[in-house]
Amino acid sequence: NQCAILNHKHELFILDISKDKITKIERSKSSFVSFNWSPCGRYIAYSCSKTSRCNIIKIYDTQKNKSHQVTDAIYNDFSPVFDPKGNYLAFISSRTFKPIYDSIQFDLNFPKSEKIYLIALNKNSTSPFIKDPRIDKSKNKDKKKKKEKIKTIIDFKNIKERIMGIPIAESILSNNLGYIKNKIFYLDWPVEISSGANNKIKGILKYYDLDLL
């Protein structure tokens, strides 16, 4: 009975339809807000500005009416999205800096700095990059699974220490992530040439499969 509303002032609200009540949970002063509901509908992950040059990720608990900061204020974190089972939160971040020397003048720049990261929401959640060799998934392929009620459990204590980087190269990523069946979908963009030419820059849709590690 709840829905999230984002307005032109970068304010994020929760509307409780049954109670006819609206609550403002955040106002981002310097950047756009992107948000995503957890599968169980209890939590909302969203990005917001910490300063005029820094964005962070927060998670709002609709039952306790409280926001928790889940990433450090390093530079730019955005586009959070829960995985379908509610165990991880993926987001895009500029926090890995590998400068490149300019070929014309003595200077350094960062043409590509964005990567995808995962947060293990539960302290007991195992890393998706470490596979258990005892589990044989081929035995369960033909079995029809019953739909289980998903409950997202988040341990906010030390959650910033459970951030893991997806092993892909730094790039220029779009503002949207998709997380479907252990696959993270994203748009990878090339470096745009700064000239008067009308160059048609096209992004490439890619995905990272956590099951094929």
Side-chain angles (χ1 to χ4, degrees):
N1 295 325
Q2 293 180 322
C3 65
I5 301 173
L6 182 65
N7 67 14
H8 64 289
K9 297 179 181 179
H10 312 316
E11 294 174 325
L12 183 61
F13 296 86
I14 296 293
L15 173 62
D16 191 323
I17 301 173
S18 60
K19 297 179 181 179
D20 194 21
K21 179 182 177 182
I22 189 166
T23 304
K24 183 171 75 172
I25 64 174
E26 192 71 55
R27 181 177 186 269
S28 183
K29 296 181 180 180
S30 304
S31 62
F32 292 99
V33 175
S34 54
F35 66 91
N36 184 256
W37 283 93
S38 65
C40 66
R42 173 175 174 175
Y43 301 97
I44 301 177
Y46 62 94
S47 62
C48 65
S49 57
K50 182 77 171 178
T51 66
S52 61
R53 300 186 64 181
C54 180
N55 295 331
I56 56 175
I57 303 293
K58 291 184 178 182
I59 295 179
Y60 181 77
D61 187 342
T62 60
Q63 291 186 6
K64 296 183 178 180
N65 299 321
K66 184 179 180 181
S67 286
H68 301 265
Q69 182 177 331
V70 297
T71 64
D72 288 317
I74 297 175
Y75 181 54
N76 190 22
D77 301 332
F78 57 100
S79 296
V81 59
F82 287 94
D83 86 289
K85 295 181 180 179
N87 295 322
Y88 304 98
L89 181 75
F91 66 97
I92 300 173
S93 178
S94 298
R95 58 175 61 205
T96 303
F97 305 105
K98 295 181 180 179
I100 298 174
Y101 279 103
D102 193 289
S103 62
I104 303 299
Q105 57 186 359
F106 186 71
D107 198 1
L108 293 168
N109 56 61
F110 303 87
K112 296 183 177 183
S113 63
E114 297 170 350
K115 289 183 65 174
I116 302 171
Y117 293 82
L118 285 179
I119 302 176
L121 299 175
N122 191 311
K123 64 181 180 181
N124 296 321
S125 296
T126 58
S127 169
F129 306 109
I130 302 175
K131 301 302 180 184
D132 190 343
R134 296 170 297 179
I135 299 176
D136 187 4
K137 294 184 178 181
S138 62
K139 293 181 180 179
N140 299 322
K141 282 186 177 180
D142 298 329
K143 293 182 179 180
K144 292 184 178 180
K145 294 183 179 180
K146 295 182 180 179
K147 287 187 177 181
E148 298 180 358
K149 189 176 181 180
I150 297 173
K151 183 179 180 180
T152 304
I153 300 174
I154 302 180
D155 296 310
F156 289 105
K157 185 178 180 180
N158 300 323
I159 193 171
K160 298 175 186 177
E161 299 176 5
R162 302 196 296 271
I163 296 177
M164 302 163 279
I166 297 291
I168 60 174
E170 296 81 8
S171 186
I172 302 172
L173 304 179
S174 181
N175 290 335
N176 293 307
L177 288 178
Y179 206 144
I180 304 171
K181 294 182 179 179
N182 270 350
K183 295 180 179 64
I184 302 175
F185 293 83
Y186 59 97
L187 273 174
D188 191 348
W189 294 87
V191 176
E192 186 175 358
I193 300 173
S194 179
S195 66
N198 186 16
N199 299 312
K200 293 183 179 180
I201 304 298
K202 295 182 179 180
I204 301 174
L205 179 61
K206 298 181 179 181
Y207 69 88
Y208 188 87
D209 194 338
L210 292 166
D211 286 332
L212 298 179
L213 297 174

